[in-house]
Amino acid sequence: MRLPQARLDQVLDRFHEVEARMGAATEGAEIVRLSREHAELKPVADAVQGLARARAEVLDLEAMAGDPEMAAMAQEELQALNERLPGLEREVALLLAPRDADENASAVLEVRAGTGGDEAALFAGDLFRMYSRYASTRGWRVEIDSATEGEAGGYKEIIATVTGDGVFGRLKFESGVHRVQRVPATEAGGRIHTSAATVAVLPEVEDVEIEILDKDIRIDTFRASGSGGQHVNKTDSAVRITHLPTGIVATSSEKSQHVNRDKAMKNLRVRLYDMQRQAKDAARSDARKSQVGSGDRSERIRTYNFPQGRVTDHRIGLTLHSLPQILEGDLDPVLDALIAEDQAARLADLEAEFA
């Protein structure tokens, strides 16, 4: 892709303008806003400047190639530089392409058992363990907000906050229906069963203003359910908050009712923000039907087939015969392929804009 020089100049002009305004700003709110924009623009500006230097070097080498004494060396360096240029242009193009504003945010991860009874709850537990192990490999912190255990193990529902840099950007394509095909431990006849669990990944954005009026919520307390023993609340300390206008329900089941109320309100804000975000995404992507994920949580996205040891992502036609490793948290081969597909779609959008 040959990026228009006018677009590159526009990026550099804005970067230099922000730098100049940062030096003159005196109000705290303006300084914070400019600092955030500067941090977002700097990698783009650095890449644009690197590309400009490479393009200028090409012109210098082409001029040198006309000198008989310098021709051989110039041609060799020119060939190497021409091989590097497409990669530099792609790097700049990806930085310029429309990107998710919540890419670097932490996330709320929700896993719920779907069809399949006890086996679905066990599978939901397997998925949560997979994500927890993956989070550990990346240095992210996983904190369980609420959980309802299945009667035979696993979870009917589990909600956790995953904190770290770039969590949402890596996990956002996991939202949807995950299907498992395997012989349950309780199946005496050796028949393969198909069960499902749904996954939702919501961006946790700290500084987003979501107004929640007292008249729009109902707060209930209840006793948390679980496997027994120390994990079960002995008092009605678990909290359920229902947002009446939307019907969204957020819960938390720690031991402290005060902590639970705070966590449930935080989770409610995350869900309301995600609802607004999905509405904007739907309006923005009407013309882009090839995107990796539609955001529809009812979409079947992946199958985990135990007899064949394979994992298939249906959105991009990817099949990997490494199911045990993936369930142990080796998710990068799947996530990298999904991110690459999304990058290709974003580059196509940018190319259409320049056409």
Side-chain angles (χ1 to χ4, degrees):
M1 182 189 301
R2 183 72 182 181
L3 297 168
Q5 189 60 44
R7 180 66 180 272
L8 303 182
D9 291 341
Q10 186 182 38
V11 171
L12 292 178
D13 288 345
R14 179 58 184 169
F15 178 69
H16 294 141
E17 180 187 351
V18 169
E19 278 197 322
R21 290 174 62 184
M22 280 178 66
T26 56
E27 293 185 6
E30 185 182 11
I31 292 172
V32 169
R33 181 179 59 79
L34 290 171
S35 297
R36 186 179 295 131
E37 186 176 359
H38 183 272
E40 291 174 355
L41 283 173
K42 190 175 189 315
V44 190
D46 288 346
V48 168
Q49 289 170 333
L51 177 60
R53 286 192 295 270
R55 285 179 172 177
E57 193 176 345
V58 166
L59 296 177
D60 291 342
L61 289 169
E62 286 175 344
M64 287 172 60
D67 184 339
E69 294 183 4
M70 306 289 289
M73 183 184 71
Q75 284 293 350
E76 185 179 338
E77 291 185 18
L78 189 59
Q79 181 179 347
L81 189 55
N82 280 328
E83 289 173 359
R84 281 180 51 221
L85 266 179
L88 294 173
E89 292 193 332
R90 187 176 191 278
E91 179 187 353
V92 173
L94 279 172
L95 290 167
L96 289 177
R99 63 192 296 269
D100 199 318
D102 301 320
E103 198 82 13
N104 294 320
S106 296
V108 173
L109 170 68
E110 304 179 349
V111 184
R112 293 180 175 83
T115 55
D118 289 342
E119 172 62 11
L122 290 169
F123 179 50
D126 291 340
L127 289 177
F128 183 74
R129 178 174 173 270
M130 174 182 77
Y131 293 125
S132 297
R133 293 203 163 211
Y134 180 67
S136 178
T137 66
R138 299 192 72 89
W140 299 337
R141 188 174 80 252
V142 178
E143 181 183 1
I144 295 175
D145 294 328
S146 67
T148 303
E149 298 174 6
E151 294 179 8
Y155 297 101
K156 292 180 181 177
E157 175 186 274
I158 183 163
I159 300 171
T161 300
V162 186
T163 306
D165 186 40
V167 175
F168 184 71
R170 293 296 294 176
L171 295 183
K172 63 182 179 179
F173 298 122
E174 292 300 289
S175 292
V177 177
H178 295 240
R179 185 177 66 169
V180 64
Q181 296 171 327
R182 64 184 175 188
V183 179
T186 55
E187 172 56 56
R191 289 179 300 136
I192 296 172
H193 288 223
T194 298
S195 304
T198 59
V199 173
V201 180
L202 319 176
E204 186 187 44
V205 184
E206 297 291 342
D207 56 355
V208 169
E209 291 294 329
I210 299 290
E211 185 180 17
I212 301 175
L213 303 177
D214 288 343
K215 68 180 180 64
D216 288 340
I217 59 175
R218 185 181 71 240
I219 301 177
D220 301 306
T221 58
F222 62 98
R223 187 167 300 179
S225 62
S227 58
Q230 62 180 345
H231 301 296
V232 177
N233 288 318
K234 302 300 190 293
T235 59
D236 293 341
S237 64
V239 170
R240 178 192 299 114
I241 300 179
T242 304
H243 188 250
L244 301 175
T246 62
I248 292 175
V249 177
T251 62
S252 182
S253 53
E254 299 291 326
K255 293 181 180 179
S256 163
Q257 189 174 121
H258 178 71
V259 169
N260 285 334
R261 181 176 176 127
D262 288 346
K263 282 192 171 185
M265 283 298 290
K266 182 196 78 170
N267 190 264
L268 179 59
R269 284 192 178 88
V270 167
R271 288 163 176 264
L272 289 171
Y273 173 73
D274 185 64
M275 185 179 71
Q276 292 178 7
R277 168 195 162 82
Q278 285 193 66
K280 289 179 183 175
D281 286 349
R284 203 165 45 227
S285 63
D286 278 346
R288 194 174 122 190
K289 301 301 182 185
S290 62
Q291 62 183 0
V292 171
S294 66
D296 183 356
R297 303 272 155 73
S298 65
E299 177 188 9
R300 189 192 73 185
I301 63 168
R302 193 174 301 149
T303 295
Y304 303 73
N305 185 292
F306 275 69
Q308 297 176 19
R310 65 171 169 83
V311 174
T312 298
D313 195 288
H314 305 290
R315 294 164 294 180
I316 57 175
L318 174 71
T319 295
L320 298 172
H321 293 275
S322 53
L323 184 146
Q325 294 92 326
I326 289 171
L327 286 178
E328 285 297 314
D330 185 15
L331 271 173
D332 277 336
V334 181
L335 300 181
D336 287 345
L338 289 164
I339 290 169
E341 186 77 11
D342 181 62
Q343 287 177 343
R346 290 194 290 121
L347 285 175
D349 286 350
L350 188 67
E351 196 165 13
E353 179 187 330
F354 294 153

